[in-house]
Amino acid sequence: MDDSPAARPPFPAVDRVLAAPQAAVAIERYGRVATVAAVRASLAAARSAWLAGAAVDVSVERIAIVATARLEADDAPSQRRVLNLTGTVLHTNLGRALLSEEAIAAVTAAMRSPTALEFDVATGRRGERDDHVRGLLRELTGAEDAVAVNNNAAAVLLTLNSLSEGRETIVSRGELIEIGGSFRMPSIMARAGCRLVEVGTTNRTHLADYAEAIGPETALLMKVHPSNYRVEGFTKEVAAKELAPLARERGLPLVDDLGSGVLVDLSAYGLQRERTVQEAVADGADLVTFSGDKLLGGPQAGLVVGRADLVKRLAKNHLKRALRLDKLRLAALEATLKLYRDPDRLAQRLPTLALLARPADALKALAARFAPALGEAAGPAFAVGVVDAESQIGSGALPLAAIPSGGLAVSAIEGKRAGSALAELAAAFRGLSVPVIGRIAEDRLIFDLRGLDDEVVFDAMLAELASARVGAAA
């Protein structure tokens, strides 16, 4: 390439670009320092492209536009809104439960102003942040007391460290679970400073196994919800209701880790029944741990309810400060729990329950309405059809419970490149201004509509992709 001064395009000086009207708008929005950096980066990219032999537009206006686009991209939130059409309603990677309007309003109010987070307005003295949810949790679960931390793993960690540090915790071998991200119950126990004593076998554990394992170093007995798997066939487990009398006889606490806690009978909404927190308390567990952002439908939180003397020990543990909730999540949790006082309207007001309770026939009818627009967006290389689908709750809740659903399936007409064609189409959907996330299974890109929370936005995204495809072909 001719690199002589006469052959080079007239790259403008940074100051000239900054004087352009487009740059003035960028300076007003993003600040001068950031705009200068974006202009310099845009000029450097233009020089690199020219040196590589590409034709470049180095007008002041063009450089200013490119720099502004850089600033807009950098300023976009990294936690982008997406449409969850994966079929997993409580998708851990997509943020689990959607908050209710009441919870959103409570968080917004808490963000705007100082709050009485740890302040007793009546006495003018220091208060306790758990008081904002303690009464509600006692009322809803029947437990004597409650404490809140930042997730259920933290709830288990705090419980074990408070009650069993330096001593033994007895757990069935079939309940030593691993949850997402390779976090394992034995590892959490080790971090809590207690020694694990495994009893029984992978598939069968008897009451006598617990009784025989109890010794002078035993601090507590523990039940762990299998969460994300089921062992079927020749199996035996000891229910908490059977284990509680043994724990009382030996003077030991029984901890029941429910994982995904539920406060209502799910069968009333056409879902598989799950043991409730209230039942766990009534079955004799001294402490029950569960999550806030799964079937409860609230923010990320770990909740412990049970005997007042044991909860007090947890609250006094120095770990509690490191694991405590901030004012925003406490506001959201309080608002969510209040919804359970009105069970008749819970399915209309709690988004997670509303999504899970949607009838499959209604979802298939919705899929039929969207099918033509999806066909336009995908283009002539793909076939689109309405299909029966099977949703799942997700996040370890009822792992074997498939919920009949309805959705759309996209298949590549040319079979030779079906895999790569579907992968490219899925990437195109993820590249939209509001990414649409489906799943590829059995040589089809499937969009399960159970998790669709905004039909207007989905319509707009289909139109956006159709327009982009037409523009690329022109």
Side-chain angles (χ1 to χ4, degrees), residues 176-206:
L176 296 177
I177 64 170
E178 176 180 312
I179 58 176
S182 298
F183 289 96
R184 296 178 173 181
M185 182 57 71
S187 299
I188 293 173
M189 297 176 116
R191 292 293 183 183
C194 64
R195 298 192 298 277
L196 166 65
V197 175
E198 302 176 29
V199 296
T201 63
T202 302
N203 60 320
R204 291 180 68 81
T205 302
H206 303 270

PDB file of all heavy atoms in Angstrom, residues 176-206:
ATOM      1  N   LEU A 176     -26.220 -36.143  49.847  1.00  0.00           N
ATOM      2  CA  LEU A 176     -25.028 -35.303  49.718  1.00  0.00           C
ATOM      3  C   LEU A 176     -24.986 -34.712  48.307  1.00  0.00           C
ATOM      4  O   LEU A 176     -24.219 -35.131  47.447  1.00  0.00           O
ATOM      5  CB  LEU A 176     -23.768 -36.127  50.017  1.00  0.00           C
ATOM      6  CG  LEU A 176     -23.692 -36.651  51.454  1.00  0.00           C
ATOM      7  CD1 LEU A 176     -22.460 -37.511  51.636  1.00  0.00           C
ATOM      8  CD2 LEU A 176     -23.685 -35.489  52.442  1.00  0.00           C
ATOM      9  N   ILE A 177     -25.823 -33.732  48.093  1.00  0.00           N
ATOM     10  CA  ILE A 177     -26.088 -33.225  46.750  1.00  0.00           C
ATOM     11  C   ILE A 177     -24.996 -32.296  46.247  1.00  0.00           C
ATOM     12  O   ILE A 177     -24.206 -31.745  47.010  1.00  0.00           O
ATOM     13  CB  ILE A 177     -27.437 -32.478  46.719  1.00  0.00           C
ATOM     14  CG1 ILE A 177     -27.374 -31.230  47.624  1.00  0.00           C
ATOM     15  CG2 ILE A 177     -28.574 -33.395  47.130  1.00  0.00           C
ATOM     16  CD1 ILE A 177     -28.555 -30.307  47.463  1.00  0.00           C
ATOM     17  N   GLU A 178     -24.975 -32.129  44.935  1.00  0.00           N
ATOM     18  CA  GLU A 178     -24.197 -31.080  44.279  1.00  0.00           C
ATOM     19  C   GLU A 178     -25.181 -30.193  43.530  1.00  0.00           C
ATOM     20  O   GLU A 178     -26.004 -30.668  42.755  1.00  0.00           O
ATOM     21  CB  GLU A 178     -23.184 -31.663  43.287  1.00  0.00           C
ATOM     22  CG  GLU A 178     -22.427 -30.580  42.510  1.00  0.00           C
ATOM     23  CD  GLU A 178     -21.417 -31.153  41.521  1.00  0.00           C
ATOM     24  OE1 GLU A 178     -20.636 -32.037  41.922  1.00  0.00           O
ATOM     25  OE2 GLU A 178     -21.434 -30.730  40.352  1.00  0.00           O
ATOM     26  N   ILE A 179     -25.116 -28.883  43.773  1.00  0.00           N
ATOM     27  CA  ILE A 179     -25.981 -27.944  43.069  1.00  0.00           C
ATOM     28  C   ILE A 179     -25.179 -27.248  41.988  1.00  0.00           C
ATOM     29  O   ILE A 179     -24.023 -27.587  41.745  1.00  0.00           O
ATOM     30  CB  ILE A 179     -26.619 -26.936  44.053  1.00  0.00           C
ATOM     31  CG1 ILE A 179     -25.540 -26.167  44.825  1.00  0.00           C
ATOM     32  CG2 ILE A 179     -27.539 -27.649  45.019  1.00  0.00           C
ATOM     33  CD1 ILE A 179     -26.100 -25.104  45.744  1.00  0.00           C
ATOM     34  N   GLY A 180     -25.780 -26.257  41.301  1.00  0.00           N
ATOM     35  CA  GLY A 180     -25.129 -25.600  40.169  1.00  0.00           C
ATOM     36  C   GLY A 180     -23.780 -25.000  40.523  1.00  0.00           C
ATOM     37  O   GLY A 180     -23.533 -24.552  41.643  1.00  0.00           O
ATOM     38  N   GLY A 181     -22.875 -24.995  39.518  1.00  0.00           N
ATOM     39  CA  GLY A 181     -21.558 -24.424  39.725  1.00  0.00           C
ATOM     40  C   GLY A 181     -20.648 -25.312  40.557  1.00  0.00           C
ATOM     41  O   GLY A 181     -19.660 -24.840  41.127  1.00  0.00           O
ATOM     42  N   SER A 182     -20.969 -26.607  40.640  1.00  0.00           N
ATOM     43  CA  SER A 182     -20.154 -27.595  41.369  1.00  0.00           C
ATOM     44  C   SER A 182     -20.054 -27.305  42.858  1.00  0.00           C
ATOM     45  O   SER A 182     -19.080 -27.676  43.502  1.00  0.00           O
ATOM     46  CB  SER A 182     -18.741 -27.676  40.756  1.00  0.00           C
ATOM     47  OG  SER A 182     -18.811 -28.103  39.420  1.00  0.00           O
ATOM     48  N   PHE A 183     -21.062 -26.632  43.434  1.00  0.00           N
ATOM     49  CA  PHE A 183     -21.095 -26.437  44.881  1.00  0.00           C
ATOM     50  C   PHE A 183     -21.692 -27.692  45.509  1.00  0.00           C
ATOM     51  O   PHE A 183     -22.817 -28.063  45.212  1.00  0.00           O
ATOM     52  CB  PHE A 183     -21.912 -25.200  45.240  1.00  0.00           C
ATOM     53  CG  PHE A 183     -21.234 -23.918  44.863  1.00  0.00           C
ATOM     54  CD1 PHE A 183     -21.537 -23.279  43.673  1.00  0.00           C
ATOM     55  CD2 PHE A 183     -20.271 -23.366  45.699  1.00  0.00           C
ATOM     56  CE1 PHE A 183     -20.903 -22.097  43.324  1.00  0.00           C
ATOM     57  CE2 PHE A 183     -19.636 -22.181  45.350  1.00  0.00           C
ATOM     58  CZ  PHE A 183     -19.947 -21.550  44.166  1.00  0.00           C
ATOM     59  N   ARG A 184     -20.938 -28.316  46.399  1.00  0.00           N
ATOM     60  CA  ARG A 184     -21.336 -29.588  46.973  1.00  0.00           C
ATOM     61  C   ARG A 184     -21.613 -29.448  48.460  1.00  0.00           C
ATOM     62  O   ARG A 184     -20.904 -28.733  49.170  1.00  0.00           O
ATOM     63  CB  ARG A 184     -20.243 -30.635  46.748  1.00  0.00           C
ATOM     64  CG  ARG A 184     -20.007 -30.938  45.280  1.00  0.00           C
ATOM     65  CD  ARG A 184     -18.895 -31.930  45.089  1.00  0.00           C
ATOM     66  NE  ARG A 184     -18.794 -32.341  43.691  1.00  0.00           N
ATOM     67  CZ  ARG A 184     -17.920 -33.227  43.234  1.00  0.00           C
ATOM     68  NH1 ARG A 184     -17.065 -33.805  44.072  1.00  0.00           N
ATOM     69  NH2 ARG A 184     -17.905 -33.545  41.951  1.00  0.00           N
ATOM     70  N   MET A 185     -22.624 -30.171  48.924  1.00  0.00           N
ATOM     71  CA  MET A 185     -22.983 -30.113  50.338  1.00  0.00           C
ATOM     72  C   MET A 185     -21.802 -30.478  51.242  1.00  0.00           C
ATOM     73  O   MET A 185     -21.565 -29.790  52.248  1.00  0.00           O
ATOM     74  CB  MET A 185     -24.194 -31.008  50.601  1.00  0.00           C
ATOM     75  CG  MET A 185     -24.672 -30.976  52.043  1.00  0.00           C
ATOM     76  SD  MET A 185     -25.107 -29.315  52.632  1.00  0.00           S
ATOM     77  CE  MET A 185     -26.617 -29.046  51.689  1.00  0.00           C
ATOM     78  N   PRO A 186     -21.018 -31.528  50.951  1.00  0.00           N
ATOM     79  CA  PRO A 186     -19.877 -31.820  51.819  1.00  0.00           C
ATOM     80  C   PRO A 186     -18.879 -30.665  51.903  1.00  0.00           C
ATOM     81  O   PRO A 186     -18.291 -30.417  52.957  1.00  0.00           O
ATOM     82  CB  PRO A 186     -19.239 -33.059  51.167  1.00  0.00           C
ATOM     83  CG  PRO A 186     -20.365 -33.716  50.441  1.00  0.00           C
ATOM     84  CD  PRO A 186     -21.195 -32.580  49.920  1.00  0.00           C
ATOM     85  N   SER A 187     -18.698 -29.936  50.796  1.00  0.00           N
ATOM     86  CA  SER A 187     -17.764 -28.805  50.799  1.00  0.00           C
ATOM     87  C   SER A 187     -18.287 -27.667  51.667  1.00  0.00           C
ATOM     88  O   SER A 187     -17.528 -27.009  52.385  1.00  0.00           O
ATOM     89  CB  SER A 187     -17.531 -28.320  49.367  1.00  0.00           C
ATOM     90  OG  SER A 187     -16.976 -29.336  48.571  1.00  0.00           O
ATOM     91  N   ILE A 188     -19.599 -27.413  51.589  1.00  0.00           N
ATOM     92  CA  ILE A 188     -20.200 -26.370  52.430  1.00  0.00           C
ATOM     93  C   ILE A 188     -20.053 -26.744  53.900  1.00  0.00           C
ATOM     94  O   ILE A 188     -19.747 -25.903  54.751  1.00  0.00           O
ATOM     95  CB  ILE A 188     -21.682 -26.169  52.051  1.00  0.00           C
ATOM     96  CG1 ILE A 188     -21.785 -25.582  50.638  1.00  0.00           C
ATOM     97  CG2 ILE A 188     -22.379 -25.260  53.058  1.00  0.00           C
ATOM     98  CD1 ILE A 188     -23.193 -25.491  50.108  1.00  0.00           C
ATOM     99  N   MET A 189     -20.225 -28.029  54.208  1.00  0.00           N
ATOM    100  CA  MET A 189     -20.078 -28.481  55.590  1.00  0.00           C
ATOM    101  C   MET A 189     -18.643 -28.293  56.071  1.00  0.00           C
ATOM    102  O   MET A 189     -18.408 -27.866  57.222  1.00  0.00           O
ATOM    103  CB  MET A 189     -20.486 -29.944  55.698  1.00  0.00           C
ATOM    104  CG  MET A 189     -21.950 -30.191  55.360  1.00  0.00           C
ATOM    105  SD  MET A 189     -22.330 -31.942  55.386  1.00  0.00           S
ATOM    106  CE  MET A 189     -23.485 -31.978  56.710  1.00  0.00           C
ATOM    107  N   ALA A 190     -17.691 -28.578  55.200  1.00  0.00           N
ATOM    108  CA  ALA A 190     -16.292 -28.407  55.586  1.00  0.00           C
ATOM    109  C   ALA A 190     -15.991 -26.937  55.856  1.00  0.00           C
ATOM    110  O   ALA A 190     -15.286 -26.604  56.819  1.00  0.00           O
ATOM    111  CB  ALA A 190     -15.385 -28.954  54.485  1.00  0.00           C
ATOM    112  N   ARG A 191     -16.505 -26.053  55.006  1.00  0.00           N
ATOM    113  CA  ARG A 191     -16.303 -24.616  55.206  1.00  0.00           C
ATOM    114  C   ARG A 191     -16.968 -24.133  56.490  1.00  0.00           C
ATOM    115  O   ARG A 191     -16.519 -23.170  57.109  1.00  0.00           O
ATOM    116  CB  ARG A 191     -16.861 -23.833  54.017  1.00  0.00           C
ATOM    117  CG  ARG A 191     -16.108 -24.033  52.723  1.00  0.00           C
ATOM    118  CD  ARG A 191     -14.715 -23.456  52.805  1.00  0.00           C
ATOM    119  NE  ARG A 191     -14.005 -23.589  51.535  1.00  0.00           N
ATOM    120  CZ  ARG A 191     -12.747 -23.226  51.352  1.00  0.00           C
ATOM    121  NH1 ARG A 191     -12.057 -22.714  52.359  1.00  0.00           N
ATOM    122  NH2 ARG A 191     -12.163 -23.374  50.180  1.00  0.00           N
ATOM    123  N   ALA A 192     -18.045 -24.795  56.876  1.00  0.00           N
ATOM    124  CA  ALA A 192     -18.728 -24.420  58.112  1.00  0.00           C
ATOM    125  C   ALA A 192     -17.976 -24.896  59.346  1.00  0.00           C
ATOM    126  O   ALA A 192     -18.305 -24.497  60.467  1.00  0.00           O
ATOM    127  CB  ALA A 192     -20.144 -25.001  58.113  1.00  0.00           C
ATOM    128  N   GLY A 193     -16.982 -25.741  59.149  1.00  0.00           N
ATOM    129  CA  GLY A 193     -16.153 -26.195  60.263  1.00  0.00           C
ATOM    130  C   GLY A 193     -16.680 -27.419  60.975  1.00  0.00           C
ATOM    131  O   GLY A 193     -16.214 -27.756  62.069  1.00  0.00           O
ATOM    132  N   CYS A 194     -17.657 -28.105  60.369  1.00  0.00           N
ATOM    133  CA  CYS A 194     -18.182 -29.312  61.014  1.00  0.00           C
ATOM    134  C   CYS A 194     -17.700 -30.560  60.280  1.00  0.00           C
ATOM    135  O   CYS A 194     -17.258 -30.482  59.135  1.00  0.00           O
ATOM    136  CB  CYS A 194     -19.703 -29.270  61.087  1.00  0.00           C
ATOM    137  SG  CYS A 194     -20.544 -29.266  59.501  1.00  0.00           S
ATOM    138  N   ARG A 195     -17.805 -31.682  60.954  1.00  0.00           N
ATOM    139  CA  ARG A 195     -17.365 -32.941  60.362  1.00  0.00           C
ATOM    140  C   ARG A 195     -18.587 -33.718  59.878  1.00  0.00           C
ATOM    141  O   ARG A 195     -19.539 -33.950  60.631  1.00  0.00           O
ATOM    142  CB  ARG A 195     -16.573 -33.766  61.375  1.00  0.00           C
ATOM    143  CG  ARG A 195     -15.311 -33.074  61.850  1.00  0.00           C
ATOM    144  CD  ARG A 195     -14.399 -34.027  62.623  1.00  0.00           C
ATOM    145  NE  ARG A 195     -15.022 -34.552  63.834  1.00  0.00           N
ATOM    146  CZ  ARG A 195     -15.050 -33.913  65.000  1.00  0.00           C
ATOM    147  NH1 ARG A 195     -14.501 -32.716  65.111  1.00  0.00           N
ATOM    148  NH2 ARG A 195     -15.625 -34.468  66.051  1.00  0.00           N
ATOM    149  N   LEU A 196     -18.524 -34.135  58.646  1.00  0.00           N
ATOM    150  CA  LEU A 196     -19.614 -34.881  58.034  1.00  0.00           C
ATOM    151  C   LEU A 196     -19.556 -36.342  58.449  1.00  0.00           C
ATOM    152  O   LEU A 196     -18.511 -36.987  58.377  1.00  0.00           O
ATOM    153  CB  LEU A 196     -19.522 -34.768  56.507  1.00  0.00           C
ATOM    154  CG  LEU A 196     -20.359 -35.735  55.677  1.00  0.00           C
ATOM    155  CD1 LEU A 196     -21.843 -35.475  55.892  1.00  0.00           C
ATOM    156  CD2 LEU A 196     -19.997 -35.603  54.192  1.00  0.00           C
ATOM    157  N   VAL A 197     -20.702 -36.865  58.867  1.00  0.00           N
ATOM    158  CA  VAL A 197     -20.847 -38.307  59.117  1.00  0.00           C
ATOM    159  C   VAL A 197     -21.925 -38.811  58.168  1.00  0.00           C
ATOM    160  O   VAL A 197     -23.098 -38.436  58.280  1.00  0.00           O
ATOM    161  CB  VAL A 197     -21.236 -38.587  60.582  1.00  0.00           C
ATOM    162  CG1 VAL A 197     -21.503 -40.078  60.774  1.00  0.00           C
ATOM    163  CG2 VAL A 197     -20.132 -38.125  61.527  1.00  0.00           C
ATOM    164  N   GLU A 198     -21.531 -39.652  57.210  1.00  0.00           N
ATOM    165  CA  GLU A 198     -22.465 -40.199  56.233  1.00  0.00           C
ATOM    166  C   GLU A 198     -23.100 -41.471  56.790  1.00  0.00           C
ATOM    167  O   GLU A 198     -22.409 -42.305  57.383  1.00  0.00           O
ATOM    168  CB  GLU A 198     -21.746 -40.540  54.935  1.00  0.00           C
ATOM    169  CG  GLU A 198     -21.030 -39.377  54.284  1.00  0.00           C
ATOM    170  CD  GLU A 198     -20.252 -39.803  53.045  1.00  0.00           C
ATOM    171  OE1 GLU A 198     -20.671 -40.785  52.393  1.00  0.00           O
ATOM    172  OE2 GLU A 198     -19.229 -39.170  52.739  1.00  0.00           O
ATOM    173  N   VAL A 199     -24.397 -41.611  56.565  1.00  0.00           N
ATOM    174  CA  VAL A 199     -25.077 -42.841  57.005  1.00  0.00           C
ATOM    175  C   VAL A 199     -25.878 -43.412  55.843  1.00  0.00           C
ATOM    176  O   VAL A 199     -26.263 -42.703  54.911  1.00  0.00           O
ATOM    177  CB  VAL A 199     -26.007 -42.589  58.212  1.00  0.00           C
ATOM    178  CG1 VAL A 199     -25.200 -42.141  59.408  1.00  0.00           C
ATOM    179  CG2 VAL A 199     -27.087 -41.572  57.876  1.00  0.00           C
ATOM    180  N   GLY A 200     -26.111 -44.715  55.902  1.00  0.00           N
ATOM    181  CA  GLY A 200     -26.875 -45.383  54.863  1.00  0.00           C
ATOM    182  C   GLY A 200     -26.073 -45.572  53.595  1.00  0.00           C
ATOM    183  O   GLY A 200     -24.838 -45.488  53.582  1.00  0.00           O
ATOM    184  N   THR A 201     -26.793 -45.832  52.504  1.00  0.00           N
ATOM    185  CA  THR A 201     -26.179 -45.986  51.188  1.00  0.00           C
ATOM    186  C   THR A 201     -26.794 -44.966  50.244  1.00  0.00           C
ATOM    187  O   THR A 201     -27.686 -44.211  50.623  1.00  0.00           O
ATOM    188  CB  THR A 201     -26.412 -47.401  50.637  1.00  0.00           C
ATOM    189  OG1 THR A 201     -27.823 -47.601  50.455  1.00  0.00           O
ATOM    190  CG2 THR A 201     -25.868 -48.459  51.585  1.00  0.00           C
ATOM    191  N   THR A 202     -26.333 -44.971  49.006  1.00  0.00           N
ATOM    192  CA  THR A 202     -26.829 -43.995  48.040  1.00  0.00           C
ATOM    193  C   THR A 202     -28.340 -44.083  47.877  1.00  0.00           C
ATOM    194  O   THR A 202     -29.029 -43.068  47.789  1.00  0.00           O
ATOM    195  CB  THR A 202     -26.157 -44.225  46.673  1.00  0.00           C
ATOM    196  OG1 THR A 202     -24.739 -44.126  46.835  1.00  0.00           O
ATOM    197  CG2 THR A 202     -26.628 -43.191  45.664  1.00  0.00           C
ATOM    198  N   ASN A 203     -28.870 -45.322  47.861  1.00  0.00           N
ATOM    199  CA  ASN A 203     -30.302 -45.478  47.576  1.00  0.00           C
ATOM    200  C   ASN A 203     -31.151 -45.841  48.786  1.00  0.00           C
ATOM    201  O   ASN A 203     -32.366 -45.725  48.740  1.00  0.00           O
ATOM    202  CB  ASN A 203     -30.509 -46.536  46.477  1.00  0.00           C
ATOM    203  CG  ASN A 203     -29.956 -47.895  46.868  1.00  0.00           C
ATOM    204  OD1 ASN A 203     -28.895 -47.995  47.463  1.00  0.00           O
ATOM    205  ND2 ASN A 203     -30.692 -48.958  46.535  1.00  0.00           N
ATOM    206  N   ARG A 204     -30.522 -46.285  49.893  1.00  0.00           N
ATOM    207  CA  ARG A 204     -31.351 -46.720  51.035  1.00  0.00           C
ATOM    208  C   ARG A 204     -30.714 -46.277  52.355  1.00  0.00           C
ATOM    209  O   ARG A 204     -29.554 -46.594  52.638  1.00  0.00           O
ATOM    210  CB  ARG A 204     -31.552 -48.237  51.026  1.00  0.00           C
ATOM    211  CG  ARG A 204     -32.430 -48.703  49.869  1.00  0.00           C
ATOM    212  CD  ARG A 204     -32.612 -50.212  49.877  1.00  0.00           C
ATOM    213  NE  ARG A 204     -33.409 -50.688  50.999  1.00  0.00           N
ATOM    214  CZ  ARG A 204     -34.744 -50.656  51.032  1.00  0.00           C
ATOM    215  NH1 ARG A 204     -35.431 -50.165  50.007  1.00  0.00           N
ATOM    216  NH2 ARG A 204     -35.397 -51.135  52.074  1.00  0.00           N
ATOM    217  N   THR A 205     -31.507 -45.546  53.141  1.00  0.00           N
ATOM    218  CA  THR A 205     -31.078 -45.148  54.481  1.00  0.00           C
ATOM    219  C   THR A 205     -32.233 -45.412  55.438  1.00  0.00           C
ATOM    220  O   THR A 205     -33.393 -45.118  55.124  1.00  0.00           O
ATOM    221  CB  THR A 205     -30.694 -43.651  54.523  1.00  0.00           C
ATOM    222  OG1 THR A 205     -29.649 -43.396  53.578  1.00  0.00           O
ATOM    223  CG2 THR A 205     -30.217 -43.255  55.907  1.00  0.00           C
ATOM    224  N   HIS A 206     -31.908 -45.977  56.609  1.00  0.00           N
ATOM    225  CA  HIS A 206     -32.930 -46.353  57.589  1.00  0.00           C
ATOM    226  C   HIS A 206     -32.748 -45.528  58.860  1.00  0.00           C
ATOM    227  O   HIS A 206     -31.675 -44.980  59.128  1.00  0.00           O
ATOM    228  CB  HIS A 206     -32.823 -47.845  57.920  1.00  0.00           C
ATOM    229  CG  HIS A 206     -32.937 -48.723  56.711  1.00  0.00           C
ATOM    230  ND1 HIS A 206     -34.137 -49.201  56.253  1.00  0.00           N
ATOM    231  CD2 HIS A 206     -31.983 -49.204  55.868  1.00  0.00           C
ATOM    232  CE1 HIS A 206     -33.937 -49.952  55.176  1.00  0.00           C
ATOM    233  NE2 HIS A 206     -32.632 -49.972  54.922  1.00  0.00           N
TER     234      HIS A 206
END
